[in-house]
Amino acid sequence: MEKIEIKNPGQYYVNSWIIYDALGGPAIDENKWSLKVTGLVKKPAEYTYQELNKMDEIQYISDFNCVTKWSIKDAKFSGPSLKDLIMKSEPLPEAEWVMFVCADGYDTPIPFDDAVDEKSILALRIDDKPLGVEHGFPARPFMPSLYGWKSAKWVTEIKLMEKYEDGYWEAYGYHERGKVEDEERFKGFGWKKIKRHSEIDK
């Protein structure tokens, strides 16, 4: 099992998850729920929970780092590749941001490059168990290099966009990207965009 090591300055480890529900946790019927890929794509798509569970999955062990400075050490995350889900819909060249939209009204953006990183997944399980409601059942994106508020619970839509837009916490001053290693907790801390190396440029 691969273990991902992320430098997480300013963090401290806790023994159990601290649960946040910014807008209240929704009750979701897995048989009615679906995940859409929309926005700047040639082929919008929609997937059921059952379809996602049948896809090839990525598994690894990684810390989960909350922007409020607590971390869970060595959790196991499992789920389909977020990159594969996005690239199947054939993103347009102008797509620079991805917005995760959720069943409770929450949303959060991340740069396209982070969304299609090889380690970014749509997490369906943590520690070999399906996500509990408190963890965002039925699915949530997980990007090991980004703080946990970007790992949006109860996600229902992956929307590709050209320009940055604030999500829920970003409107309150949280950082546009939220990279753990660089302690990108709040706006006003610059970050350097890395040239895209995804298949979209080929």
Side-chain angles (χ1 to χ4, degrees):
M1 178 65 60
E2 181 181 6
K3 182 175 179 180
I4 298 174
E5 299 285 354
I6 300 291
K7 294 181 180 179
N8 56 356
Q11 298 293 114
Y12 64 91
Y13 289 108
V14 297
N15 293 323
S16 58
W17 295 80
I18 300 172
I19 303 301
Y20 301 116
D21 296 330
L23 298 173
I28 294 177
D29 183 342
E30 66 183 70
N31 296 310
K32 297 179 180 179
W33 175 89
S34 65
L35 175 72
K36 297 178 181 179
V37 181
T38 67
L40 296 177
V41 294
K42 292 182 181 178
K43 298 179 179 179
E46 186 170 4
Y47 302 95
T48 66
Y49 183 62
Q50 291 74 22
E51 288 171 335
L52 292 168
N53 269 286
K54 292 178 181 178
M55 294 180 179
D56 292 339
E57 68 176 20
I58 297 172
Q59 297 182 348
Y60 52 72
I61 293 172
S62 172
D63 290 355
F64 179 94
N65 296 290
C66 180
V67 69
T68 58
K69 299 191 176 183
W70 61 268
S71 297
I72 293 291
K73 188 173 182 62
D74 293 346
K76 181 180 178 182
F77 293 89
S78 309
S81 163
L82 192 57
K83 177 181 179 179
D84 287 352
L85 287 170
I86 291 173
M87 299 309 292
K88 283 179 182 179
S89 285
E90 299 184 15
L92 300 179
E94 58 266 33
E96 294 288 344
W97 289 89
V98 172
M99 181 73 81
F100 299 120
V101 182
C102 305
D104 63 339
Y106 181 87
D107 54 7
T108 190
I110 67 170
F112 181 92
D113 297 327
D114 290 300
V116 297
D117 184 272
E118 296 295 339
K119 301 303 181 187
S120 296
I121 65 171
L122 183 73
L124 302 179
R125 283 168 290 283
I126 297 177
D127 294 331
D128 294 322
K129 297 179 181 179
L131 300 182
V133 173
E134 71 279 8
H135 284 303
F137 177 84
R140 66 188 299 183
F142 181 66
M143 296 69 58
S145 63
L146 303 184
Y147 285 116
W149 94 84
K150 298 293 187 176
S151 180
K153 298 179 182 180
W154 313 294
V155 66
T156 58
E157 183 180 359
I158 300 170
K159 181 180 179 181
L160 277 66
M161 310 182 300
E162 179 179 5
K163 297 180 180 180
Y164 171 83
E165 296 178 10
D166 276 344
Y168 181 85
W169 284 118
E170 291 78 18
Y172 288 95
Y174 279 49
H175 198 276
E176 295 91 340
R177 180 174 63 173
K179 187 175 181 179
V180 175
E181 187 172 348
D182 294 338
E183 293 194 83
E184 293 176 341
R185 302 178 193 275
F186 304 104
K187 291 180 180 177
F189 293 87
W191 59 280
K192 182 178 180 181
K193 185 181 187 314
I194 300 173
K195 179 175 172 58
R196 183 185 297 174
H197 294 292
S198 70
E199 298 170 12
I200 197 171
D201 286 334
K202 295 179 181 179

